[in-house]
Amino acid sequence: MSKLIVRDLKVNGKNVFLRVDFNVPLDEKGEITDVTRIKASLPTLTFLILQGAKLIIASHLGRPKGKFKPELSLRPVQKKLSEYLKKEVVLAPDVIGEEVEKLKNSLKNGEILLLENVRFHPGETENNEDFAKELARGIDIYVNDAFAACHRAHASVVGITKFVPVKAAGFLLEKEIKYFEKMFQAKEKPFTLILGGAKISDKIPVILNMLDKVDHILIGGGMAFTFLKAAGKEIGKSIVDEEKIEVAKEIMDEAKKRNIDFQLPVDFLTAEKIEKGVEVKTVEDGMIPGNHMGLDIGPKTVELYSKIISESKMIFWNGPMGVFEIEEFSKGTTSIAEAIAESGAISVVGGGDTLAALEKAGTKERISHISTGGGASLEYLAKGNLPGIEVLDEVR
Ligand code: ADP
Ligand code: MG
């Protein structure tokens, strides 16, 4: 069994509702600062247009909290999209309602209607059934290509599918599913899970669920200090999540019991403040001065982790190894990115900041799959599926 994919559909003359991820970053002037997500949607979009679908596109943008917010209108996206497709894209004045219905009904084959920000209505995040029904009005086929939204049981992701007879995945989602199934099935060994970043709470469910699938777990970033404290180490002023110390201990005990190689950094770059130009010390594990914070993994850790990475056949990475935004503390992260790229392993990388770090390291091209979902990728590994994927049709 696998998911129904857009390429196997007959869409000519059909009303196709396409859920994409146009949640792009905007600057103060409302200009799009990164068009990656728009460009990523083009394969599915172009396919549907060429096959003669009547396209109705939906996305969220930011967090308007159920109200119309002009600064979160999809207008800038409409302009860019029209430019890339070299085709008119009509922006609807709303998401549902009479006027939108008129626009939907007037679509000809290959024409495109972009609905306004779906989160302008509270029904979206509440997964309200009436709102979902309105979204589905007149729709023949539902296509989801928004992996980054698939962990949300929202109306345009989950609710709508109850009222549409055919539900398929777009090309972008197809690729995400393919790689995440691979990670979840964990057949290639050794399999190494690399986690970093600031917040430990997002990552604990992933560790717990993947514990019986992986061979190595490499921890870096700010989250390492909660584990280090749990292990009784001196961590100075490094960030720590006191509430997670207990579960951190349990995870380490469990990993030991199951013979999983659970690694914490063995040295660090530390400083008094998170600031450019500060005085940086390189210290061994347990030796962080009381007034210093650990802000990157040190050279010995880089060497140790790189060796494990080089011997891995499968790798998942989420979360930078240090405060990579500051030059002085970026080396650990870029070195790990380089090691993953060099390893030749099947590699999947997810997370907004982690992708920014990859970009900096210039190793993007040598990663097997760069996930478009941060929260979604973690939740997939924590649960083995996502609400937005579960509701799509299966084929034999
Ligand atoms: P992602 O967006 O890839 O999921 P996270 O949001 O979990 O990653 O974590 C990224 C953030 O973690 C970065 O802003 C980085 O500066 C911060 N960070 C990494 N290491 C440390 C550390 N040792 N101390 C404080 N913050 C850190
Ligand atoms: Mg982040």
Side-chain angles (χ1 to χ4, degrees):
M1 293 284 267
S2 54
K3 290 291 167 186
L4 178 63
I5 309 297
V6 70
R7 86 168 61 74
D8 299 319
L9 300 175
K10 289 199 170 49
V11 299
N12 189 38
K14 298 278 171 56
N15 282 342
V16 177
F17 184 104
L18 174 63
R19 175 56 156 103
V20 292
D21 173 21
F22 286 159
N23 186 25
V24 291
L26 301 169
D27 64 15
E28 319 81 61
K29 284 185 255 153
E31 310 240 7
I32 300 170
T33 55
D34 184 351
V35 294
T36 311
R37 287 177 166 170
I38 303 178
K39 286 200 166 153
S41 75
L42 296 177
T44 300
L45 266 167
T46 314
F47 174 84
L48 288 168
I49 295 165
L50 288 175
Q51 300 291 314
K54 297 173 178 173
L55 251 184
I56 295 123
I57 309 176
S59 175
H60 74 278
L61 175 60
R63 295 170 186 267
K65 306 219 165 102
K67 282 197 214 71
F68 183 84
K69 290 235 173 83
E71 69 276 18
L72 291 176
S73 164
L74 285 170
R75 178 62 73 189
V77 172
Q78 176 260 335
K79 287 189 186 141
K80 274 275 176 270
L81 196 57
S82 187
E83 194 184 308
Y84 292 150
L85 293 169
K86 298 186 184 68
K87 221 173 148 46
E88 189 188 7
V89 175
V90 174
L91 178 67
D94 201 342
V95 189
I96 54 168
E98 219 173 293
E99 235 173 295
V100 178
E101 284 311 309
K102 255 187 232 157
L103 288 168
K104 273 193 201 171
N105 293 331
S106 67
L107 283 175
K108 296 193 185 66
N109 294 7
E111 288 187 346
I112 310 153
L113 175 68
L114 174 63
L115 301 179
E116 254 304 358
N117 190 341
V118 279
R119 289 196 188 163
F120 281 172
H121 286 258
E124 168 65 3
T125 54
E126 289 161 9
N127 198 23
N128 177 283
E129 191 157 309
D130 293 328
F131 178 68
K133 222 185 256 178
E134 282 306 311
L135 287 179
R137 190 184 288 275
I139 301 296
D140 305 301
I141 296 169
Y142 172 83
V143 178
N144 188 338
D145 216 13
F147 178 71
C150 282
H151 58 315
R152 310 264 186 222
H154 290 174
S156 68
V157 178
V158 172
I160 183 174
T161 59
K162 207 171 136 190
F163 307 105
V164 182
V166 180
K167 299 154 284 257
F171 296 123
L172 203 56
L173 188 55
E174 178 188 30
K175 190 169 177 233
E176 297 275 7
I177 295 172
K178 177 180 139 194
Y179 276 98
F180 278 94
E181 278 181 349
K182 242 194 238 307
M183 292 289 127
F184 203 72
Q185 286 162 359
K187 283 191 189 133
E188 312 274 337
K189 302 271 180 179
F191 181 5
T192 300
L193 179 64
I194 309 168
L195 294 172
K199 267 207 289 172
I200 189 171
S201 52
D202 303 347
K203 279 124 199 174
I204 282 176
V206 176
I207 303 178
L208 290 173
N209 198 42
M210 297 300 283
L211 215 44
D212 62 345
K213 297 179 189 288
V214 298
D215 305 290
H216 304 277
I217 299 178
L218 312 181
I219 305 287
M223 65 179 278
F225 299 103
T226 301
F227 284 105
L228 287 159
K229 186 154 187 196
K233 305 271 182 167
E234 179 54 49
I235 59 163
K237 278 197 312 173
S238 308
I239 59 165
V240 64
D241 186 341
E242 298 284 347
E243 280 173 24
K244 296 287 184 264
I245 290 180
E246 230 11 79
V247 58
K249 260 189 212 141
E250 284 163 28
I251 286 173
M252 290 187 287
D253 288 345
E254 204 49 45
K256 202 178 222 166
K257 253 193 246 156
R258 300 193 201 189
N259 261 328
I260 293 157
D261 175 37
F262 188 93
Q263 297 280 354
L264 291 171
V266 293
D267 61 346
F268 307 90
L269 302 190
T270 72
E272 279 185 40
K273 298 182 272 217
I274 305 184
E275 216 174 82
K276 222 183 143 42
V278 287
E279 197 188 323
V280 181
K281 274 193 176 153
T282 305
V283 302
E284 303 277 310
D285 161 36
M287 303 295 283
I288 301 179
N291 59 343
H292 273 219
M293 314 169 76
L295 297 173
D296 196 9
I297 55 173
K300 285 189 182 156
T301 309
V302 167
E303 202 185 312
L304 172 72
Y305 285 10
S306 298
K307 181 159 191 295
I308 295 170
I309 290 167
S310 74
E311 288 160 2
S312 300
K313 290 278 183 301
M314 205 153 74
I315 296 167
F316 178 82
W317 178 31
N318 174 292
M321 296 290 106
V323 183
F324 74 100
E325 298 93 333
I326 296 174
E327 191 57 37
E328 286 89 332
F329 309 111
S330 65
K331 186 132 188 275
T333 304
T334 47
S335 305
I336 294 303
E338 185 58 36
I340 297 171
E342 281 295 301
S343 70
I346 301 170
S347 52
V348 176
V349 178
D353 293 301
T354 314
L355 298 199
L358 263 192
E359 197 93 51
K360 228 174 158 179
T363 54
K364 257 172 98 173
E365 281 67 38
R366 290 177 288 153
I367 303 296
S368 318
H369 178 60
I370 297 188
S371 178
T372 53
S377 64
L378 290 177
E379 201 165 314
Y380 193 106
L381 295 184
K383 295 189 179 146
N385 214 331
L386 294 176
I389 296 174
E390 269 177 327
V391 292
L392 302 177
D393 294 337
E394 298 273 356
V395 287
R396 294 199 178 270

